[in-house]
Amino acid sequence: MRKEMPKIDLRTATNLFVEHREEIRAAFGRAVRQALLEHKRAGNPIAISENGSIIWIAPEDIKTDQE
């Protein structure tokens, strides 16, 4: 038996993102910093986009705010 998904008012959902943008931005920043630290500690490079090209950053060159 398949259940129907509840209807979501997209205006309300959009407003939640706007209302909580600073908390969302802070959480996103923490997640990115954590991912960079984990890559660096594990010795894994990261890929970034620069001027339309993919650039690989070696683990020892990953900049973190804990340095």
Side-chain angles (χ1 to χ4, degrees):
M1 188 164 142
R2 190 172 185 177
K3 292 185 178 182
E4 282 192 37
M5 295 294 293
K7 300 269 187 217
I8 297 173
D9 183 352
L10 292 179
R11 292 171 300 187
T12 304
T14 302
N15 289 339
L16 287 173
F17 285 111
V18 171
E19 290 173 23
H20 299 282
R21 67 184 170 271
E22 292 307 319
E23 296 99 313
I24 293 168
R25 186 174 293 141
F28 184 74
R30 287 190 306 270
V32 169
R33 281 190 298 278
Q34 183 65 34
L36 291 172
L37 282 170
E38 288 178 14
H39 272 75
K40 187 170 187 150
R41 288 179 186 148
N44 295 326
I46 60 169
I48 64 168
S49 175
E50 189 174 277
N51 298 324
S53 298
I54 302 298
I55 308 289
W56 286 96
I57 307 294
E60 60 272 10
D61 296 330
I62 295 173
K63 303 285 188 247
T64 64
D65 57 359
Q66 292 192 351
E67 297 173 336

